[in-house]
Each structure stands twice: as C-alpha cells, then as structure tokens.
Amino acid sequence: MEASEILKQCNDVWELRHEYAKDWKRRTGGKVVGYMCTYAPEEVLYAADILPIRILGGHEAPSLATPHMFDMWCPFSRDCLNQGLKGKYNDYLDGIMETNACLHMRQAFGAWTIHVPTPWNYWFVMPNAVRSPRAKTFLAGELAEFKKAIEEWTGKTITDKDVDRGIDIMNTNRRLMKQVYEFRKEDNPPITGTEAMTMVWASQLMDKREHNDLLKQLLEALPDRKLDRNTGVRLMIVGSENDDRPFMEMVEDVLEGTFVIDEHCTGSRYFWNEVVPEKDRLQAIANRYCDRVPCPNKDWGMEDCTRTRFPHILQLAQDYGVQGAILIQQKFCDPHELDIPSLRRYLEDNGIPCYFLEFEVTVPLGQFRIRVEAFLEQIRAEELFV
Amino acid sequence: MIVAGIDVGGKNVHAIIAKNGTILAKAEAPSGIKKAEAAEQLYEEVLKQAGLKREDVARVVATGSSGQRVTFADGVIPDAAADARGVIKLIPSARTVIDVGAEEGRAIKVSPEGKVLDFAINEKCAAGTGTFVDTMARALEMPVEEMAKLSLQSTRSIPMNAQCAVFGESEVVSLIHQKMPKHDIARAVHDAIAGRISSVARIVGLEDDIVMVGGVAKNVGFVESLRRDIGAGVKVPDDPEYIGALGAAAAAAAGVLEEKVEAKVVEKEVVEEGEA
Amino acid sequence: MAKYKTKGLDCWGRAKELRMKYYQDYKEAHDRGALRWEGGAWTFDALPQALEGEVHSLTEEPYGASVGANPEVQVRYQEAAEGKWGCARDLCAYLRNYWGSIVLDEYFFGGKWPKADFIFQNHICCAHAKWLQVAAELEGGDVPFFCFDVGAGAYDKIGERQINYVVEQLYDGIEFLERATGRKVSDEKLIQNVQNTYRSACYWAKTCELNQAIPAPLDEKTMFSLYVLGTLEKSTSAIADFYEKELYPEVKDRVANKIAAVGDEQCRVLGDTQPPWGFLSIFRYLEKYGVVSIASLYTFSLIGWWEIDEQGKIVPYPTLEEQGITIKDRDQALRLLAEGELKGKLMWAPFYGAKYKNDIVTKIAKQWKCDAAILHLNRGCEGTAQHQMELKIALQNMKLPVMTFEGNMADEREFDEARTKRFMDLFLTETLGLKKVAD
C-alpha cells in the first residue's frame, strides 16, 4: 500500500472514531474503555483484551458541558465531556477511566461518571512524584489493584502471558512510531507533521495490533516516498493536547513550514518510552510510566527545581534540526502554563526561537496565519544573517 | 391604578405606562452615558404619549443594570425579576426565560407566579450578548437586521469559536477571506451565540414554555439558531425588548417595592478586612 | 432589637497577633540565625519544624491571599508575574501574587523578598509543586527543593499501601532536611509537632462542628481569619494551643449562651472555595438580609480533619487522646501524620471526582442546617473550584436554592462587586423571599 493510502486510513480512524470502535466490537465481541489521560496503563487493558481508546474532543462549542464545568476550564476537557453528553459514546463505550491527570480532565471525568451512561468507571491513582523511587513501588501496587478490578469486571483472570502480550502490543506500537519519526530527521521528510500527527491520533483510537500492521507497511513505503513540497522552515510543536488538523495544515500547506517533530500528548510524549521487560511485569510497567517523558504536572524533582522534560525537548530539537518551536497550549491549561515561561527561556537560551499560541476548540486560522507567517519570516531572516 | 415601569439597560431605556393591566403608552431611547437623564427624558416622553402628568401615576418601579439611577422611582427590582414578571403576564405558561441584551445574556427559571427560582448569567463574556452580534455584523459590513435575515438562507453549519468575541471576529474575517458565502457566515455567527446562550440556559434547565426576550429576541436569525440548538420551540412575545419595563410596571401594580428598613443590628466591633 | 445577642470574639486579638508574628519571624529569621523555608499550607511542617534550632516558614497560599486582600498591591504583583515573568493570567491567583512578589523583590509585609534556605512542599493539584519550582528558579535556582506527593487516593481508599507511600517520602524528606541544612531532625520535637498537628486539625474541626448550632456562633468571614493560623504553622504549640485552649472553649461558650455571629440570623448559607479576599464586604452585605455564611468544605477542611462515621455523618477526626494513642517514636509519628492527612483532610476528596464533593458537601448542608447555598465560582483556584457546577446540581436536587457568581479569590480584575451584589439582591429577595433587616 502507498504511504498516502495508509495515512488516509489513519485519518479515517480519527474522523470516524466511533464507527471504528463499534465495528471493532462487532468483529471481536470485546469491551471498549475510554481513557482521558495518557498515564492510563493500556498494557493492562490489552492484557484483558479490552480496546483502550482516548477520549478526544469534537472541535465543537461545548454548550452541553457548561452546566457541568463552567467556562474557565480548558476547552479541550469541556469538549471531551460535551462529546459524552451528546451521546457519541453511548452505543459502544463499556468503561471510562481517569488518572491523577490535570484538574480539568478530572472534572470532565467526574461529570461524565454522573451524567453519561457508561457502565464501568475507574480512577487510577497515578502518582505525581514520578522521580521518587517510592512512586514506582506505589504504582506497581496500583497496577495490581487495577488488574484485579478489571478481572472482576470481565470475569477473566489476567495471566503473566496476557500482560506480556499487552506490553508487547504497546511496545511494538511505540517502537514502530518512533521509527516512522526517524524519517522526519531527513532534509526533506517523506512525511509531513500533519501526517505524523494523524498517525499518532489513530494509534490512540484504534486497536494497536491493527495500527502496527499499518505502521509496518508505512515503514516499507516511506523510503521511496517523495513529497512534492518544500520543507521550508523546520518547526517543532510543543505543548498540551493537539489534534487541530486545520492548524497543522495551514502551517504546512500554506506557509512553507514543516513540523519535523512534536512534543505533546497526542504526539511523541505519548509513545516515546517503552516498557523494559522484567520478571515482575507490573513493576516493569510502573517503571515505564514513572520514567516516561512527563506531563508538566509531574515534572518536578525531589531535590531541585529542574525538569526532565526540557532537556528532552532540546535534544529532540537538536536531533531533528529544528529552527523554531511553536509552543501551543489549550486555553486555561494549567500544567503547560506553569512551564511555558521557563521553557521559552530555556529554548531561546539554547538557540531555538519560540512562538506561543493559545488554542481553543476551533482556532482563528486567519489570525494565526499572520502570526505564524511573521514567525517564519523572522527565522528565515535570522538564517540569512547567520 | 396607573403605574409605570422603567428599564434602564446598558444600551437602551424602555418605559411603559399601564392602567389596570393595559398598556397606555410605551417608548424607548438610547440610554447613553447619562443614564439618569435618559430615564428622566424618556419618562416625560411616555407621559406625554399617554396624555398624563407625573402626579397621575401612582407608583413607578425601575429595573435594569442602571435601574438604581432612576431617581424618581418609588422602588427598584432586579432585572431578572422584572423579566420573570413581565413574561408571566404575557405568557402564563412560561417556565424558562432567556433574555439577551446588549451587555448580558441570562436565563431564568420562573414559577407560575412569576418568581425567580434560579438564574444563570453569561458572565464576563461578550460572546453571549448583543454586542457580539453587532461586532460580527460590522465585520460582515451589514446592518444586524440584514445579517439576521441573510442567515436564514443558509443550510450549512460551520463551527465557530464562541468562547471569545475577539477570536470570533477574527474567525469571521478569516471566513470572508476564504470566500465562504456570507449567508453561511451569518448563520455561523448566530449559531455561535445561540450555542453560548443555550449553554447558559442549560444551567437552569430547559423547561417548556421557553420564552425569549430582550433586544436580541428580535433577531430572527438568532432565534432560529437557538431553536435549532435546543431542539425545542422558543416563543418570542411582541416587543420583546419591553418585557423588563412591563415586569417593572407589573411589580408596581402589585405593590412590590424595596422596603426601607430601620437598622436593627447591634453595632459590632469593626474587624480588619482581608485577613487570610 | 436583634433576634440574638452578638459580640466579637475575645480571642480575636490573639489570632491577629499570632498571624503578624509569623510573618515577622520569617522576615527576621536570618537576623537571629534561624532557618527559613518556603512551603504550602498543606506541607507536613511537623518535619522541618523539628529541625534543631529556630526554624520559620512562609506558606505560599496564605501569603498569596494576604496580597490578594490588598487589590492595589495585588494588581502590581500580578502584572509583574504576567508582564515580567510572562505567565498566563488565568493561573492560580495566589501563585501570581507570590511570583510577582519575588520578581519585584518585595515582601508584602515589608522590606525585600526574604529568600528561603530550602523549599519543602507537597503536591496534589497541577500547581503546587510547580509553584515553588518556579519560585526556586526566580530566586536563583540554588534553593534546595523537596516536594512530596500526597495524591495517594481518596480518604475512603487509604490503607497501609497508601500510608506507606507517604511515610517513605517523609523519611526521604527528613534525609533531605538534614542534608540541606546540616542540622538534625529531633525525634522529640517531631513527636511534639505531630501531636500539635493533631490538636490544630481536630480542634478546628470541633470548632466548625459547633456552627451546627442555631444561631451560628461564627460566620465564615470571621472563620477565614481563624483557620488561617492552621495554614501557617499547624505543628507549633502556639497555634495548637490557640485552637484547643482558646478558640474552641470560647466558641463552645457562645453556643451555650446563644451568642450569634450575626444578631439577625434568619438564613444560613453554605459557601464553597475561597472568597474574593479583597471584597469580604459582600459578607456584610448579606448580613443586611440576615443571611450568614456558616459552612463550607473549604473553611472546614482546609486544615480541619474529619471523618464519616457509621451513621454517615461528618464528624471531627478523633484526637490522639480520643484514640488513646501516645506517640512513642519517629516511625509512629510519621505514620500518624500521614494517616491523619490522607484520611482526615476531606478537602482532598474532590480531587478524585465530583461524587466525593457532592456527597461530602450535601452532608454538610444537611448537618449544618443550611437554607441556601451561595457558590463563588472561583477562577483563581482550580483545586477548590473543582466540580462546583456538579455541586450546584446536587444541592438543587436536595431542594436547596443555589446561587453562583463568578469571581477570583485574589485577582480584583476578575471580580465585579456591583454586579455580584445585584445578583445577590435578586437571589435573596426573589428566590429566597427575604427582606432587608438592616441598612
């Protein structure tokens, strides 16, 4: 299959996510559980033959959500709740889970469990002190309880072999996506930022075994793929959740820029780190979630004020030849708002110019175009005088 | 008994004189910056229209965001209370009132007696007010009435940012540059504000009959968008912008006034504010 | 003639004195060779306060609130945080006050910003750890920083595993303190501090429980100035003594003698979250209608510890004496400290879902005999403002009239006093049918 066709399938899953999930249920007879934060341990869900899908917004004004979450909560979280209240998940979602994520998503989950008729729900206590060894022990215990709760719900015991399978499915998916990302290091990447994002969105919305099949085919197709476009300015996009396709397309199709790498939770931050297998499988999974690139609300230390995410972002920028970074943030998003002033300084001190944009359920493309265009001009002008 | 109701809002003043439940005269004028003066002048005008003098009027009740400025009023009632009373007078089956004026959008749950059971306001945001509509009409370079009628021609829904009037205006400009047909943009504007208002109304719950009042109720495009959004019928009385004044007049007739009370509380030691 | 007798609190002056001394001590600490540290209102201050020698703290939230009560200064500090540091305006208002203070090198209580010797913080919401992480950066990046995680689960899910998680971190915290300061943590002091923490938390809860009486002996506006001491130094004898030996007995006496907070109490309301600190006059405005705010999860449980008894009622958490416990050693002290906070601080329960907040607050509304609720939709604090709209629905489902108003606890640019009073007039006169009792 050609790369374009594969990527179109990914896009179809993103656009028609509910139809995909319903079809999956029909084919497999399995349960579907929605998660609201990428700290949800999907390995355990796959071990139980459950399909984990990420709850994402619909990019519509969340008018049904207002009686449940007033307007100062992030539009993405309200949009997610709105989708639930609109009944988009009623036909097929068997369960929904949340972790110690940001306060905005916690609220969406809280309202969902009261008003949306999803039969099963679970709060997974993901520790925040991820750099402390205590967190790893605690998390392994949480995973054991979670596994037990799933077993009680499904009536099926999860064996070590099942967990191995779950780990393998997730690790394979992470590894393959990272391999696709390697192509973005090229001078003229054979895959655009929009396409790469679409690939990750599909990962979060479909059976990863099926996604892995697509990825393997994509990896075969990419070496020969030549895109009829100028790479232009090599950009990085960093920040909170992003599935704003029109924005990505605007920058890449209209403005001669290419997002060669990203760092957000619908991007690389989701899949960058694998589980390192150990005899104690749950401990291995716990270690991965503690050691992964953290969400800002977990990116703090036990001894000093440093962050682990910043050097990682800089490394990505250097590895991918980034000329500029666009820092995006869902309006009112606390975790990223807390980091952005420091991140901006850090990147700029290390030679990566930054531009900040605030996202909503829909974005004012006209205004953003002018601003991003100016940013790209600034980068091009600087390059001219280097 | 002859009574008067004066509604002093952010943009306009409305006045009604009524006798035994029948409207004798009504008038409206811009409220401007000098709201007390505007209210005074309009009262004179409506008296003249009714062929009456001040002493003919037994009681005057004011309402509106600047109701307190009406120095000649015998009392003031909150604007949402005036809405509730005014709507029940005209449509006794009303249970949800949606009032969208120039600077505030609100939803009110009313009892059969016209009492305010619950209310929700579109706070700190122009995106749910008449000002939003005016701004977007300016961006489309047409009068509001024209934009409203034009929107009815659209059969297409374009999602538009409705959380922020500034972003919203930006999006309209973008849509114009994308050569989107104006009737579709006009509908998108009305859908956006309707979504905003319906989300406020859902806070109090949507119970039939749902009645829309205030200046924006005259906007046929908005009313259609709101009907579509809430999936239910919305009634709009004649002269919806006069409902506040009508309710104030009804309150005057019922003898509902702010009572002045002698202080009864024992003086307390003044404590330092703001200790936390 | 007012309905009930009323008078001010005898211990009011003492409360003010304790508070001002706290801020002065922090400022002067270095002059006396004492240590000073920054942390949060919920930090386990029993540990750093157990270090040898004199130690003083600055807790971030009360500091932010103190600034917030002065709108002029608050705007200046926040504009510094937003303009000079570059942070977003919708972040926690206390945090912006705090950062702005550092950016301007000003201490709200006079003089330059007093840099800390170390930071000792805990984390449950998005902001807590990050707040002082950035503060440490602003202070030069060389302040030793320790933060532990108390997000171990809701109060009804706390077992040995969860307690162990926190206790292990507390042990790590002690190691950090000794390394960062070169001083030892004294077990004797630690045990005393844990005892004091119990006394502060349990006796504040007992005091709040007394507000179930009619008339209420305390109004929330007064209570704000009383709970705050527990957010400053709950582990010190001075504060614990204040709660157990001064405040609680006096309020008990007020109940016995029917001394009201508001002489014309005719309507008891439930609140939620912090109030707009610069505009506490709205409570006096409510009193014109005989309306008294007497209860809220926030005021009760920011420092108070509670439990749900077998009858499903909210009652104060038992003191160590009531539990028959005498602390013998460090391990027992740390375990009891962790257990008390994790099980007793019901304020943390909403972090795990709306159902918890609904359950707890509807119980409060019933037990404290509330007639209505006035909820401040607080844009300044996502932590305390969680699930407020769900709470509104839950309270209305139990037929309690509810009013909401948007505002900000410590950012006067986001609070419209005149508009809020307009809404209050509407709610009080129309929905509740009250008439004014005073002018």
Side-chain angles (χ1 to χ4, degrees), chain C residues 44 158 162-163 166-167 170 333-343:
Chain C
F44 292 117
I158 301 301
Q162 287 79 8
I163 293 173
V166 174
V167 169
L170 292 174
L334 296 180
R335 284 196 176 277
L336 285 166
L337 184 61
E339 185 180 27
E341 285 279 55
L342 290 174
K343 286 185 177 174

PDB file of all heavy atoms in Angstrom, chain C residues 44 158 162-163 166-167 170 333-343:
ATOM      1  N   PHE C  44       3.751  19.112  55.254  1.00  0.00           N
ATOM      2  CA  PHE C  44       3.931  18.467  56.554  1.00  0.00           C
ATOM      3  C   PHE C  44       4.960  19.264  57.349  1.00  0.00           C
ATOM      4  O   PHE C  44       6.111  18.847  57.509  1.00  0.00           O
ATOM      5  CB  PHE C  44       4.437  17.030  56.338  1.00  0.00           C
ATOM      6  CG  PHE C  44       3.438  16.115  55.695  1.00  0.00           C
ATOM      7  CD1 PHE C  44       3.689  15.547  54.451  1.00  0.00           C
ATOM      8  CD2 PHE C  44       2.236  15.816  56.321  1.00  0.00           C
ATOM      9  CE1 PHE C  44       2.766  14.690  53.851  1.00  0.00           C
ATOM     10  CE2 PHE C  44       1.304  14.961  55.726  1.00  0.00           C
ATOM     11  CZ  PHE C  44       1.577  14.404  54.495  1.00  0.00           C
ATOM     12  N   ILE C 158      -7.819   4.804  51.615  1.00  0.00           N
ATOM     13  CA  ILE C 158      -6.495   4.857  52.249  1.00  0.00           C
ATOM     14  C   ILE C 158      -6.283   3.628  53.113  1.00  0.00           C
ATOM     15  O   ILE C 158      -7.007   3.391  54.093  1.00  0.00           O
ATOM     16  CB  ILE C 158      -6.344   6.136  53.105  1.00  0.00           C
ATOM     17  CG1 ILE C 158      -6.533   7.389  52.236  1.00  0.00           C
ATOM     18  CG2 ILE C 158      -4.977   6.159  53.806  1.00  0.00           C
ATOM     19  CD1 ILE C 158      -5.560   7.519  51.078  1.00  0.00           C
ATOM     20  N   GLN C 162      -1.113   3.008  50.845  1.00  0.00           N
ATOM     21  CA  GLN C 162      -1.121   4.449  50.581  1.00  0.00           C
ATOM     22  C   GLN C 162      -0.358   5.205  51.670  1.00  0.00           C
ATOM     23  O   GLN C 162       0.390   6.138  51.397  1.00  0.00           O
ATOM     24  CB  GLN C 162      -2.575   4.965  50.498  1.00  0.00           C
ATOM     25  CG  GLN C 162      -3.305   4.565  49.233  1.00  0.00           C
ATOM     26  CD  GLN C 162      -3.826   3.139  49.244  1.00  0.00           C
ATOM     27  OE1 GLN C 162      -3.773   2.442  50.261  1.00  0.00           O
ATOM     28  NE2 GLN C 162      -4.324   2.686  48.107  1.00  0.00           N
ATOM     29  N   ILE C 163      -0.568   4.767  52.901  1.00  0.00           N
ATOM     30  CA  ILE C 163       0.142   5.427  54.002  1.00  0.00           C
ATOM     31  C   ILE C 163       1.646   5.208  53.856  1.00  0.00           C
ATOM     32  O   ILE C 163       2.445   6.118  54.044  1.00  0.00           O
ATOM     33  CB  ILE C 163      -0.372   4.922  55.366  1.00  0.00           C
ATOM     34  CG1 ILE C 163      -1.829   5.383  55.553  1.00  0.00           C
ATOM     35  CG2 ILE C 163       0.503   5.437  56.510  1.00  0.00           C
ATOM     36  CD1 ILE C 163      -2.506   4.815  56.772  1.00  0.00           C
ATOM     37  N   VAL C 166       3.363   7.609  51.459  1.00  0.00           N
ATOM     38  CA  VAL C 166       3.655   8.937  52.002  1.00  0.00           C
ATOM     39  C   VAL C 166       4.725   8.856  53.083  1.00  0.00           C
ATOM     40  O   VAL C 166       5.643   9.679  53.134  1.00  0.00           O
ATOM     41  CB  VAL C 166       2.360   9.593  52.531  1.00  0.00           C
ATOM     42  CG1 VAL C 166       2.656  10.900  53.225  1.00  0.00           C
ATOM     43  CG2 VAL C 166       1.381   9.814  51.376  1.00  0.00           C
ATOM     44  N   VAL C 167       4.646   7.845  53.934  1.00  0.00           N
ATOM     45  CA  VAL C 167       5.632   7.729  55.019  1.00  0.00           C
ATOM     46  C   VAL C 167       7.048   7.574  54.456  1.00  0.00           C
ATOM     47  O   VAL C 167       7.995   8.189  54.946  1.00  0.00           O
ATOM     48  CB  VAL C 167       5.269   6.550  55.949  1.00  0.00           C
ATOM     49  CG1 VAL C 167       6.406   6.237  56.908  1.00  0.00           C
ATOM     50  CG2 VAL C 167       4.008   6.873  56.737  1.00  0.00           C
ATOM     51  N   LEU C 170       8.220  10.769  53.553  1.00  0.00           N
ATOM     52  CA  LEU C 170       8.547  11.578  54.732  1.00  0.00           C
ATOM     53  C   LEU C 170       9.947  11.236  55.243  1.00  0.00           C
ATOM     54  O   LEU C 170      10.714  12.126  55.639  1.00  0.00           O
ATOM     55  CB  LEU C 170       7.503  11.372  55.827  1.00  0.00           C
ATOM     56  CG  LEU C 170       6.096  11.916  55.512  1.00  0.00           C
ATOM     57  CD1 LEU C 170       5.109  11.526  56.607  1.00  0.00           C
ATOM     58  CD2 LEU C 170       6.107  13.415  55.351  1.00  0.00           C
ATOM     59  N   ALA C 333       5.183   8.447  64.726  1.00  0.00           N
ATOM     60  CA  ALA C 333       4.826   9.859  64.480  1.00  0.00           C
ATOM     61  C   ALA C 333       4.545  10.085  62.996  1.00  0.00           C
ATOM     62  O   ALA C 333       3.537  10.701  62.624  1.00  0.00           O
ATOM     63  CB  ALA C 333       5.961  10.783  64.944  1.00  0.00           C
ATOM     64  N   LEU C 334       5.423   9.582  62.162  1.00  0.00           N
ATOM     65  CA  LEU C 334       5.245   9.800  60.720  1.00  0.00           C
ATOM     66  C   LEU C 334       4.000   9.086  60.208  1.00  0.00           C
ATOM     67  O   LEU C 334       3.263   9.611  59.362  1.00  0.00           O
ATOM     68  CB  LEU C 334       6.487   9.334  59.955  1.00  0.00           C
ATOM     69  CG  LEU C 334       7.777  10.110  60.252  1.00  0.00           C
ATOM     70  CD1 LEU C 334       8.943   9.555  59.425  1.00  0.00           C
ATOM     71  CD2 LEU C 334       7.619  11.600  59.962  1.00  0.00           C
ATOM     72  N   ARG C 335       3.770   7.891  60.696  1.00  0.00           N
ATOM     73  CA  ARG C 335       2.589   7.143  60.239  1.00  0.00           C
ATOM     74  C   ARG C 335       1.307   7.853  60.624  1.00  0.00           C
ATOM     75  O   ARG C 335       0.379   7.942  59.836  1.00  0.00           O
ATOM     76  CB  ARG C 335       2.562   5.731  60.869  1.00  0.00           C
ATOM     77  CG  ARG C 335       3.519   4.880  60.204  1.00  0.00           C
ATOM     78  CD  ARG C 335       3.374   3.400  60.435  1.00  0.00           C
ATOM     79  NE  ARG C 335       4.395   2.865  59.562  1.00  0.00           N
ATOM     80  CZ  ARG C 335       4.239   2.654  58.252  1.00  0.00           C
ATOM     81  NH1 ARG C 335       3.078   2.796  57.674  1.00  0.00           N
ATOM     82  NH2 ARG C 335       5.256   2.263  57.521  1.00  0.00           N
ATOM     83  N   LEU C 336       1.274   8.324  61.852  1.00  0.00           N
ATOM     84  CA  LEU C 336       0.065   9.013  62.318  1.00  0.00           C
ATOM     85  C   LEU C 336      -0.141  10.309  61.533  1.00  0.00           C
ATOM     86  O   LEU C 336      -1.270  10.682  61.206  1.00  0.00           O
ATOM     87  CB  LEU C 336       0.172   9.315  63.810  1.00  0.00           C
ATOM     88  CG  LEU C 336      -0.031   8.107  64.714  1.00  0.00           C
ATOM     89  CD1 LEU C 336       0.413   8.415  66.132  1.00  0.00           C
ATOM     90  CD2 LEU C 336      -1.499   7.670  64.719  1.00  0.00           C
ATOM     91  N   LEU C 337       0.945  10.969  61.242  1.00  0.00           N
ATOM     92  CA  LEU C 337       0.849  12.216  60.473  1.00  0.00           C
ATOM     93  C   LEU C 337       0.281  11.935  59.080  1.00  0.00           C
ATOM     94  O   LEU C 337      -0.658  12.587  58.630  1.00  0.00           O
ATOM     95  CB  LEU C 337       2.239  12.845  60.366  1.00  0.00           C
ATOM     96  CG  LEU C 337       2.333  14.206  59.685  1.00  0.00           C
ATOM     97  CD1 LEU C 337       1.531  15.255  60.433  1.00  0.00           C
ATOM     98  CD2 LEU C 337       3.803  14.642  59.584  1.00  0.00           C
ATOM     99  N   ALA C 338       0.845  10.951  58.420  1.00  0.00           N
ATOM    100  CA  ALA C 338       0.381  10.610  57.063  1.00  0.00           C
ATOM    101  C   ALA C 338      -1.074  10.166  57.096  1.00  0.00           C
ATOM    102  O   ALA C 338      -1.894  10.577  56.269  1.00  0.00           O
ATOM    103  CB  ALA C 338       1.267   9.515  56.468  1.00  0.00           C
ATOM    104  N   GLU C 339      -1.382   9.324  58.068  1.00  0.00           N
ATOM    105  CA  GLU C 339      -2.739   8.785  58.142  1.00  0.00           C
ATOM    106  C   GLU C 339      -3.755   9.901  58.379  1.00  0.00           C
ATOM    107  O   GLU C 339      -4.809   9.943  57.749  1.00  0.00           O
ATOM    108  CB  GLU C 339      -2.818   7.769  59.280  1.00  0.00           C
ATOM    109  CG  GLU C 339      -4.158   7.064  59.353  1.00  0.00           C
ATOM    110  CD  GLU C 339      -4.213   6.053  60.483  1.00  0.00           C
ATOM    111  OE1 GLU C 339      -3.490   6.240  61.477  1.00  0.00           O
ATOM    112  OE2 GLU C 339      -4.970   5.087  60.382  1.00  0.00           O
ATOM    113  N   GLY C 340      -3.432  10.795  59.310  1.00  0.00           N
ATOM    114  CA  GLY C 340      -4.351  11.895  59.610  1.00  0.00           C
ATOM    115  C   GLY C 340      -4.634  12.742  58.385  1.00  0.00           C
ATOM    116  O   GLY C 340      -5.781  13.061  58.068  1.00  0.00           O
ATOM    117  N   GLU C 341      -3.570  13.092  57.671  1.00  0.00           N
ATOM    118  CA  GLU C 341      -3.747  13.938  56.490  1.00  0.00           C
ATOM    119  C   GLU C 341      -4.504  13.198  55.386  1.00  0.00           C
ATOM    120  O   GLU C 341      -5.414  13.740  54.776  1.00  0.00           O
ATOM    121  CB  GLU C 341      -2.390  14.400  55.946  1.00  0.00           C
ATOM    122  CG  GLU C 341      -1.730  15.481  56.783  1.00  0.00           C
ATOM    123  CD  GLU C 341      -2.251  16.888  56.514  1.00  0.00           C
ATOM    124  OE1 GLU C 341      -3.477  17.122  56.617  1.00  0.00           O
ATOM    125  OE2 GLU C 341      -1.433  17.766  56.204  1.00  0.00           O
ATOM    126  N   LEU C 342      -4.110  11.977  55.123  1.00  0.00           N
ATOM    127  CA  LEU C 342      -4.718  11.258  53.995  1.00  0.00           C
ATOM    128  C   LEU C 342      -6.179  10.890  54.266  1.00  0.00           C
ATOM    129  O   LEU C 342      -7.006  10.932  53.368  1.00  0.00           O
ATOM    130  CB  LEU C 342      -3.919   9.994  53.679  1.00  0.00           C
ATOM    131  CG  LEU C 342      -2.537  10.221  53.064  1.00  0.00           C
ATOM    132  CD1 LEU C 342      -1.794   8.897  52.929  1.00  0.00           C
ATOM    133  CD2 LEU C 342      -2.639  10.897  51.702  1.00  0.00           C
ATOM    134  N   LYS C 343      -6.472  10.534  55.521  1.00  0.00           N
ATOM    135  CA  LYS C 343      -7.838  10.113  55.818  1.00  0.00           C
ATOM    136  C   LYS C 343      -8.709  11.290  56.232  1.00  0.00           C
ATOM    137  O   LYS C 343      -9.901  11.320  55.985  1.00  0.00           O
ATOM    138  CB  LYS C 343      -7.846   9.083  56.954  1.00  0.00           C
ATOM    139  CG  LYS C 343      -7.352   7.716  56.554  1.00  0.00           C
ATOM    140  CD  LYS C 343      -7.531   6.758  57.724  1.00  0.00           C
ATOM    141  CE  LYS C 343      -7.104   5.354  57.342  1.00  0.00           C
ATOM    142  NZ  LYS C 343      -7.141   4.437  58.507  1.00  0.00           N
TER     143      LYS C 343
END
